[in-house]
């Protein structure tokens, strides 16, 4: 991941939500695929440099769990806070945890992994991480375990009513494309290859029972000459990938995958709006890490036990050099639930709930 806080934002987020989610019937389960922004502890069980199972991470969660923030992730908030009355009474557990077995998997599993990407080679220097393909393989194992438990027909019904969240892609730019020093492909070439693989992954694995997916890349880089400003070239690349690749993919999937409804959620611009108008959201800081170790913005070192913590975590946009604070995640989750077409299109989650 990068170092300076404000300079480099996510190449995007789009969310694919079934019309069935959070309806009057109980949502039986949430299945989560992604990177560090949604990891709830899978990397705890890997030999990885990308881990958050130590304080002060999780300080507002009650303890460090492997979440890369001070409290809850966006999907924690959307999945539990907004849908709890419909049956989602607990947070989705990490797949690699030894306790994620038996009846617990009937309520969903989280496969997200810090450092993971759409491409298998992404994040290789972290050593241990779960790529998108690996996460999908693990989901296949989970599906078979559920079939063994409740039968094939009941499994199909359970998955058809479940929420699927896919949040992947940031590391493919930040910890793959941006780190290439020789034979670097043109951005258009890399973007085309990436979206082609992503299309295949989503189509193959979410075209039948699975109806819901959330994709959220996040990246920032260190460019000292930019000062407090965002890096125009990097943000242009992110924006281009959003508008030219991801948004059309949502339209394509909506047209081709019968029985599913896909929604594009522009978390890139939601977070940018929070940064540019931070005072109106009640923040006092928009460009520094609350968990601060070294560097002008606290971005030279990740959040470690020796880090200093800001006096009021709810007043900082970013928890560490890479991840939003729980306060920011609360705003993002709210705008995904109730935002207009600038935030999420063709409709927000609440309208899907009412639909």
């Amino acid at each position: 991941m990068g170092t300076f806080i404000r300079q480099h934002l996510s190449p995007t987020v789009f969310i694919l939500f079934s019309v069935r989610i959070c309806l009057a019937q109980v949502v039986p389960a949430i299945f989560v695929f992604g990177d560090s922004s949604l990891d709830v502890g899978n990397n705890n069980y890997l030999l990885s440099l990308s881990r958050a199972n130590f304080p002060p991470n999780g300080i507002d969660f009650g303890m460090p769990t492997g979440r890369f923030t001070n409290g809850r992730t966006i999907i924690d908030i959307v999945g539990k806070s907004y849908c709890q009355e419909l049956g989602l009474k607990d947070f989705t557990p990490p797949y690699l945890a030894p306790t994620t077995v038996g009846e617990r998997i009937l309520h969903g599993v989280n496969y997200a992994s810090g450092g993971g990407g759409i491409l298998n080679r992404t994040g290789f220097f972290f050593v241990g991480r779960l790529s998108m393909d690996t996460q999908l393989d693990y989901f296949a194992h989970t599906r078979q375990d559920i079939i063994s438990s409740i039968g094939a027909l009941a499994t199909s019904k359970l998955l058809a009513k479940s929420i699927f969240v896919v949040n992947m892609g940031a590391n493919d730019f930040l910890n793959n494309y941006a780190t290439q020093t020789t034979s670097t492909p043109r951005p258009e070439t890399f973007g085309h290859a990436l979206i082609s693989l992503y299309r295949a992954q989503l189509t193959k694995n979410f075209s039948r029972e699975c109806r819901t997916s959330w994709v959220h890349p996040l990246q920032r880089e260190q460019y000292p000459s930019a000062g407090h400003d965002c890096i125009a070239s990097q943000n242009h690349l992110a924006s281009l990938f959003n508008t030219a690749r991801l948004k059309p993919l949502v339209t394509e999937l909506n047209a081709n995958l019968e029985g599913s409804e896909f929604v594009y959620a522009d978390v890139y611009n939601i977070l940018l709006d929070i940064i540019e108008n931070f005072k109106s959201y009640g923040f006092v800081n928009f460009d520094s890490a609350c968990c601060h170790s070294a560097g002008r913005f606290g971005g030279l070192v990740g959040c470690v036990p020796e880090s200093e913590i800001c006096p009021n975590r709810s007043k900082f946009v970013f928890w560490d050099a890479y991840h939003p604070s729980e306060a920011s995640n609360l705003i993002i989750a709210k705008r995904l639930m109730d935002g207009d077409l600038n935030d999420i299109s063709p409709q927000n989650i609440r309208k899907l709930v009412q639909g």
Side-chain angles (χ1 to χ4, degrees):
M1 307 294 283
T3 50
F4 275 10
I5 299 301
R6 188 189 176 198
Q7 295 165 352
H8 201 175
L9 297 179
S10 160
T12 198
V13 163
F14 74 87
I15 298 182
L16 304 78
F17 271 100
S18 163
V19 294
R20 299 180 182 181
I21 73 168
C22 296
L23 295 176
Q25 57 187 324
V26 170
V27 176
I30 298 181
F31 297 91
V32 182
F33 307 80
D35 54 25
S36 60
S37 61
L38 295 184
D39 189 350
V40 295
N42 280 306
N43 280 24
N44 299 353
Y45 304 94
L46 300 173
L47 182 62
S48 177
L49 297 176
S50 179
R51 302 177 79 173
N53 59 334
F54 46 81
N57 294 295
I59 187 171
D60 296 308
F61 197 87
M63 61 180 180
T65 61
R67 288 169 170 81
F68 289 78
T69 186
N70 58 304
R72 294 167 292 173
T73 69
I74 298 171
I75 194 58
D76 285 335
I77 297 164
V78 170
K80 187 174 182 182
S81 298
Y82 287 107
C83 300
Q84 185 174 19
E85 70 275 13
L86 301 176
L88 303 176
K89 301 184 183 299
D90 202 359
F91 296 112
T92 306
Y95 174 81
L96 293 179
T99 55
T100 306
V101 294
E103 290 189 4
R104 196 171 190 192
I105 67 174
L106 301 180
H107 303 290
V109 177
N110 185 310
Y111 308 90
S113 170
I118 296 170
L119 300 170
N120 289 327
R121 67 178 182 272
T122 291
F124 70 92
F125 46 81
F126 289 124
V127 185
R129 81 282 183 206
L130 308 179
S131 68
M132 182 68 170
D133 281 338
T134 300
Q135 293 180 35
L136 291 171
D137 287 343
Y138 285 161
F139 168 69
H141 293 316
T142 298
R143 185 177 182 277
Q144 288 302 315
D145 289 341
I146 296 175
I147 290 174
S148 298
S149 176
I150 64 176
L153 180 59
T155 297
S156 293
K157 291 180 179 180
L158 181 148
L159 296 179
K161 298 177 182 178
S162 296
I163 299 173
F164 287 77
V165 179
V166 183
N167 174 9
M168 192 72 82
N171 288 314
D172 295 285
F173 283 91
L174 185 60
N175 295 316
N176 188 329
Y177 181 81
T179 62
Q180 297 182 33
T181 57
T182 60
S183 301
T184 302
R186 291 174 57 84
E188 296 81 2
T189 303
F190 182 81
H192 177 75
L194 191 64
I195 207 69
S196 296
L197 176 59
Y198 209 10
R199 177 189 295 108
Q201 291 169 334
L202 294 175
T203 302
K204 178 181 178 180
N205 292 279
F206 301 110
S207 60
R208 296 176 61 189
E209 299 108 331
C210 312
R211 299 303 186 204
T212 309
S213 308
W214 175 342
V215 187
H216 173 66
L218 179 64
Q219 61 174 340
R220 279 169 291 276
E221 265 301 343
Q222 181 179 10
Y223 289 88
S225 61
H228 291 270
D229 295 329
C230 295
I231 302 302
S233 60
Q234 300 295 331
N235 279 346
H236 175 71
L237 177 61
S239 181
L240 180 64
F241 188 77
N242 292 350
T243 57
R245 303 290 185 185
L246 289 179
K247 199 168 186 178
L249 177 59
V250 173
T251 302
E252 176 187 329
L253 293 174
N254 268 324
N256 296 334
L257 296 184
E258 184 178 355
S260 299
E261 183 166 358
F262 295 82
V263 181
Y264 177 92
D266 198 345
V267 175
Y268 173 94
N269 279 322
I270 294 176
L271 187 56
L272 183 61
D273 178 56
I274 294 172
I275 290 171
E276 292 180 341
N277 301 286
F278 67 100
K279 290 183 180 179
S280 67
Y281 288 100
F283 294 107
V284 299
N285 184 286
F286 70 96
D287 63 355
S288 298
C290 175
C291 185
H292 188 113
S293 297
R296 182 182 176 190
F297 300 98
L300 293 180
V301 179
C303 188
V304 295
E306 296 76 20
S307 299
E308 296 181 2
I309 306 175
C310 60
N312 192 335
R313 296 178 290 277
S314 67
K315 300 298 182 181
F316 273 61
V317 173
F318 288 98
W319 165 243
D320 60 17
Y322 328 117
H323 305 96
S325 65
E326 184 185 67
S328 293
N329 286 340
L330 284 164
I331 295 170
I332 295 169
K334 175 64 175 175
R335 288 178 64 167
L336 296 183
M337 288 296 298
D338 298 308
D340 59 22
L341 294 178
N342 293 317
D343 292 339
I344 180 169
S345 62
Q347 57 186 325
N348 61 41
I349 298 173
R350 191 171 301 279
K351 289 182 179 179
L352 286 177
V353 171
Q354 297 170 349

